[in-house]
């Protein structure tokens, strides 16, 4: 018998204009594909408007997710940003860095108009009935308890994904007010969700500790690692010369990038012309002023450190395969998808020694995120000779969704 699943698509509609996804965006898209593919599921795409669920046209939403998947995956044709970056990395060093070289996406206005039109064309959801399931994996609909509480009153079960508790545990790395907003979201999930899925044991431990502090019961919770897109597969591509390293992720304070750029200046001072390049791939986030100061004003980093955003997966894969290593010096993470992707591809990974890295990528070279001499030694050694990446059994979306289906009773 088919189960009706109300899938919250609010975050995906909000991301319609983007050329590349964040980690949470990837999860939302993977869940949309999974639910749409299941024969025992009737997928009803919904979004939350003023604490009320509204439904959008399934056909239109299906076209949206197909468009996003194609755009975010990319192809064999390099984008303008990738082409310019590869040229800069292969040059002998002209003292000019690529910083934020990303034109506005083509057709941006049309993309935004399409997303708005889908939202405006939404209509009130027919009152849900017992036996239906509501799924939200993008932290949407959690800013108020009204939505989940109303679903529970109507006998609708719910599955909520909590990606991390970083705004609560480390508010110094987040936008002012994010701690209060996320506190509300997590309390809402604990108080009203039927089940909660998290991406790591570390996040599960943080959630359990929060529930104790807030004196809230915790619904059944399961830690299920996220899967990877098919593009991130092992390859024996030789590293590029001149050598370079790659960091992937939003440029924000918790990524510890000001520390990384300080290291790069020290590398340049010690290695001179032999100093490797560094590529920061990601959008600008919160508290990035120190990083921008390094990028724009440090004479030692000009021509050595580059920053781009909006690259599709195909471009990421090409750049990662030829890097000496992927670097992930974060102070805190809930999962760290790029680190897992690097290990799955057989690209050496140098990462911070934090709980989630010890859990998910323990075989990588892990260094305390404040150990400057340790990081310098590792980077210089990897520049002179690329490390051998250890064997790694990568988590898969198939295994993730098998576990989720069992958890919520969709496996029959």
């Amino acid at each position: 018998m088919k189960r009706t699943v109300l899938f919250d698509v609010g975050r995906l509609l909000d991301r319609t204009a983007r050329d590349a996804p964040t980690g949470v965006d990837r999860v939302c898209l993977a869940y949309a594909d999974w639910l749409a593919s299941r024969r025992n599921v009737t997928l009803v795409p919904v979004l939350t408007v003023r604490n009320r669920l509204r439904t959008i046209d399934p056909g239109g939403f299906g076209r949206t997710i197909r468009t996003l998947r194609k755009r975010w995956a990319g192809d064999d044709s390099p984008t303008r940003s990738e082409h310019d970056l590869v040229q800069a990395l292969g040059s002998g060093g002209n003292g000019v860095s690529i910083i934020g070289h990303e034109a506005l996406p083509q057709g941006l206005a049309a993309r935004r108009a399409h997303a708005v039109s889908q939202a405006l064309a939404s209509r009130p959801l027919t009152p849900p009935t017992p036996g239906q399931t509501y799924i939200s994996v993008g932290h949407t609909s959690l800013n108020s308890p009204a939505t989940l509480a109303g679903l529970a009153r109507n006998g609708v079960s719910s599955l909520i994904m909590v990606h991390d508790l970083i705004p609560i545990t480390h508010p110094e790395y987040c936008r002012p007010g994010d701690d209060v907003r996320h506190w509300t979201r997590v309390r809402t999930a604990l108080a009203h969700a039927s089940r909660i899925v998290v991406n790591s044991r570390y996040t599960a431990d943080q959630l359990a500790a929060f529930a104790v502090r807030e004196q809230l019961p915790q619904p059944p919770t399961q830690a299920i690692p996220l899967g990877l897109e098919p593009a991130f597969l092992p390859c024996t591509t030789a590293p590029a010369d001149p050598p370079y390293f790659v960091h992937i992720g939003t440029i924000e304070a918790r990524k510890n990038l000001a520390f990384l750029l300080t290291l790069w200046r020290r590398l340049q001072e010690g290695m001179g012309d032999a100093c490797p390049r560094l590529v920061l791939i990601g959008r600008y986030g919160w508290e990035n002023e120190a990083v921008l100061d390094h990028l724009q004003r440090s004479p030692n980093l000009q021509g050595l450190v580059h920053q781009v955003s909006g690259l599709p997966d195909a471009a990421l894969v090409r750049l990662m395969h030829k890097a000496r290593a992927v670097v992930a010096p974060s102070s805190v993470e809930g999962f760290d998808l790029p680190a897992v992707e690097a290990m799955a591809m057989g690209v050496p990974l140098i990462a911070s020694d934090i709980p989630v890295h010890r859990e998910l990528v323990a075989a990588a070279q892990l260094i305390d995120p404040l150990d400057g001499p340790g990081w310098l030694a590792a980077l210089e050694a990897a520049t002179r000779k690329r490390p051998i990446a250890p064997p790694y059994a990568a988590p898969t979306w198939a295994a993730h969704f098998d576990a989720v289906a069992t958890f919520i009773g969709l496996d029959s």
Side-chain angles (χ1 to χ4, degrees), residues 218-303:
Q218 185 171 351
T221 300
Q222 191 163 342
I224 309 175
L226 306 177
L228 306 183
E229 298 305 318
F232 297 95
L233 295 173
C235 182
T236 56
T237 304
D241 191 30
Y244 67 85
F245 294 77
V246 168
H247 174 274
I248 301 168
T250 302
I251 297 174
E252 56 188 347
R254 69 183 177 88
K255 298 296 185 178
N256 206 22
L257 295 179
F259 168 82
L260 186 64
L261 294 182
T262 300
L263 294 178
W264 233 265
R265 176 169 182 136
R266 186 65 60 87
L267 279 174
Q268 191 279 330
E269 292 170 348
M271 300 181 71
D273 291 341
C275 182
R277 278 81 166 150
L278 172 65
V279 182
L280 306 180
I281 303 175
R283 299 166 61 91
Y284 290 115
W286 181 250
E287 294 289 357
N288 55 42
E289 290 83 359
V291 174
L292 286 171
D293 284 342
H294 281 284
L295 289 174
Q296 297 174 349
R297 299 172 58 192
S298 174
N300 298 65
L301 301 184
Q302 300 310 302

Side-chain angles (χ1 to χ4, degrees), residues 110-121:
R111 294 182 194 174
R112 287 176 173 166
H114 176 67
V116 170
S117 68
Q118 286 193 83
L120 291 176

Side-chain angles (χ1 to χ4, degrees), residues 184-197:
T184 299
R185 294 185 192 114
V186 177
R187 281 187 60 91
T188 296
L190 287 170
H192 300 287
S194 304
R195 287 176 174 78
I196 295 176
V197 61

Side-chain angles (χ1 to χ4, degrees), residues 43 202 306 352:
L43 174 60
Y202 173 72
H306 307 278
S352 53

Side-chain angles (χ1 to χ4, degrees), residues 132-212:
Q132 295 181 341
T133 299
Y134 169 78
I135 295 179
S136 176
V137 296
H139 288 170
T140 47
S141 77
L142 299 179
N143 293 321
S144 162
T147 299
L148 287 187
L151 289 168
R153 284 194 299 271
N154 283 282
V156 176
S157 62
S158 57
L159 175 73
I160 301 298
M161 178 175 285
V162 175
H163 291 267
D164 61 62
L165 281 82
I166 292 171
I168 298 170
T169 59
H170 297 75
E172 65 273 22
Y173 294 139
C174 303
R175 194 183 305 272
D178 278 358
D179 54 341
V180 176
R181 282 187 287 273
H182 206 55
W183 178 85
T184 299
R185 294 185 192 114
V186 177
R187 281 187 60 91
T188 296
L190 287 170
H192 300 287
S194 304
R195 287 176 174 78
I196 295 176
V197 61
V198 294
N199 48 18
S200 64
R201 293 193 303 274
Y202 173 72
T203 301
D205 291 343
Q206 295 296 306
L207 182 63
F210 178 86
V212 171

Side-chain angles (χ1 to χ4, degrees), residues 28-104:
C28 293
L29 187 59
Y31 267 76
D33 282 337
W34 171 62
L35 291 169
S37 71
R38 289 195 66 91
R39 294 182 178 179
N40 63 343
V41 166
T42 298
L43 174 60
V44 179
V46 298
L47 68 161
T48 307
V49 179
R50 296 180 180 177
N51 298 325
R52 294 181 181 274
L53 290 178
R54 299 177 65 86
T55 183
I56 66 172
D57 172 50
F61 177 66
R63 290 188 291 274
T64 295
I65 62 175
R66 288 191 293 273
T67 298
L68 286 177
R69 180 157 294 286
K70 182 178 180 181
R71 185 192 312 146
W72 290 350
D75 53 33
D76 293 335
S77 302
T79 64
R80 165 77 182 278
S81 292
E82 182 189 358
H83 176 270
D84 291 351
L85 177 61
V86 170
Q87 291 290 107
L89 291 172
S91 71
N94 57 7
V96 178
S97 292
I98 294 175
I99 301 175
H101 184 84
E102 181 66 26
L104 288 175

